[in-house]
Amino acid sequence: VELVLSALERFLKVLAPEQVRKFGLFQTDLLFAKDGTVFSPCRDEMLTMVQQLVDQTINTCSTVSRIIFTEPFEAVMEAVISEGPSVAQIVRESPRFKRALAGVNEKIALDYAQADKKALDFEDVRPIWSFDQEWGVEAYKAQNPDVSTLKADLERMVDWAGKVDSMRSGNACGMLHVDSKTMKAMLTPMNASKLKEVQNVLAEMVGATLPGTLLFDYPTIDAISNFFLDEILDLADDDG
């Protein structure tokens, strides 16, 4: 019993140290969704995992053989004790257990609330995700965008690329390491593919033939977009 109680109390101290933690203990991935921002694992999933860990610890201690209930003592003691004490029941009814478990659950809830606030820092790149969900090149072409619209879209995507590049890979929120690498890995190709499609629409509009060495001459999003903004748009303006 003491082993389980002391282990849970030490676990709480690890989750809630006296000093501010620089690095989280448990990773949760930050992702965009239609209803907002989600974490994987989320708060409820983390609470469930911790509860399962506690249950497994109690069950393990409950199955440890106790000498008074094993041969050759069983025959001697059976008249005195008909049934051994329930370790699980003693632990779960202990005020120390209830207090420590409540502290662990409260700490998890508080850290996820802090993570929710930190997630607001990534709202400036949400338009990339939303754009990818809603935008289609054929529908875009059907709107007959003019040169100024194409230019504005190109400039917006270049700005998005810069924001994605500057994203932090993670943040510590108490016991949590809020990881944004997965989000960044999703947003980068999303933006790059849409940027390429808009560039192709622009090239088709002005009848420009793109050089075969374009990707070698302009290897970054900024460089290739500047090529379109400077060279292709100038051609479009001249035609206009």
Side-chain angles (χ1 to χ4, degrees):
V1 172
E2 178 60 30
L3 178 63
V4 177
L5 295 178
S6 60
L8 186 57
E9 289 170 341
R10 289 197 299 271
F11 183 50
L12 177 57
K13 289 183 179 180
V14 171
L15 294 184
E18 294 181 359
Q19 297 181 342
V20 177
R21 190 183 302 280
K22 294 183 179 180
F23 304 98
L25 294 175
F26 301 100
Q27 178 173 315
T28 180
D29 292 326
L30 179 66
L31 301 168
F32 287 133
K34 290 183 179 180
D35 297 332
T37 305
V38 297
F39 296 98
S40 179
C42 65
R43 183 194 63 181
D44 290 345
E45 291 170 335
M46 185 67 73
L47 288 170
T48 297
M49 287 189 289
V50 170
Q51 185 61 58
Q52 290 173 344
L53 177 62
V54 171
D55 291 341
Q56 291 172 359
T57 303
I58 294 174
N59 292 337
T60 299
C61 290
S62 297
T63 58
V64 173
S65 297
R66 286 156 287 171
I67 190 170
I68 199 171
F69 299 108
T70 60
E71 292 288 356
F73 297 96
E74 184 178 3
V76 177
M77 301 301 298
E78 61 182 1
V80 180
I81 302 176
S82 59
E83 184 178 337
S86 170
V87 173
Q89 183 178 357
I90 294 174
V91 169
R92 295 186 188 281
E93 293 179 354
S94 167
R96 285 175 61 189
F97 173 80
K98 295 178 180 178
R99 184 166 53 251
L101 184 59
V104 170
N105 290 340
E106 181 182 3
K107 176 60 176 171
I108 292 173
L110 288 173
D111 287 351
Y112 268 96
Q114 182 182 350
D116 282 333
K117 295 180 180 179
K118 179 59 65 175
L120 297 176
D121 294 343
F122 296 90
E123 285 300 306
D124 59 343
V125 294
R126 177 183 288 277
I128 303 173
W129 182 86
S130 299
F131 190 76
D132 181 76
Q133 300 297 306
E134 301 167 357
W135 192 84
V137 64
E138 295 304 325
Y140 185 72
K141 290 165 66 174
Q143 297 174 3
N144 295 318
D146 56 20
V147 172
S148 61
T149 299
L150 288 165
K151 180 179 180 180
D153 287 338
L154 284 173
E155 291 175 339
R156 178 174 53 167
M157 292 178 185
V158 171
D159 179 62
W160 284 347
K163 290 179 178 179
V164 171
D165 286 341
S166 63
M167 284 175 60
R168 295 186 60 181
S169 60
N171 297 272
C173 293
M175 68 166 198
L176 298 173
H177 174 77
V178 180
D179 190 272
S180 57
K181 291 194 296 293
T182 301
M183 177 187 289
K184 185 174 183 177
M186 291 174 56
L187 294 178
T188 299
M190 283 181 183
N191 190 47
S193 64
K194 298 300 182 291
L195 178 60
K196 182 177 180 180
E197 289 176 340
V198 171
Q199 290 168 346
N200 289 338
V201 172
L202 177 57
E204 290 177 11
M205 175 182 291
V206 300
T209 301
L210 302 181
T213 59
L214 182 63
L215 294 180
F216 295 97
D217 297 336
Y218 307 94
T220 67
I221 288 180
D222 281 348
I224 197 170
S225 296
N226 287 333
F227 165 78
F228 274 87
L229 291 173
D230 295 339
E231 303 294 334
I232 305 299
L233 285 176
D234 284 347
L235 176 60
D237 290 338
D238 292 341
D239 291 345

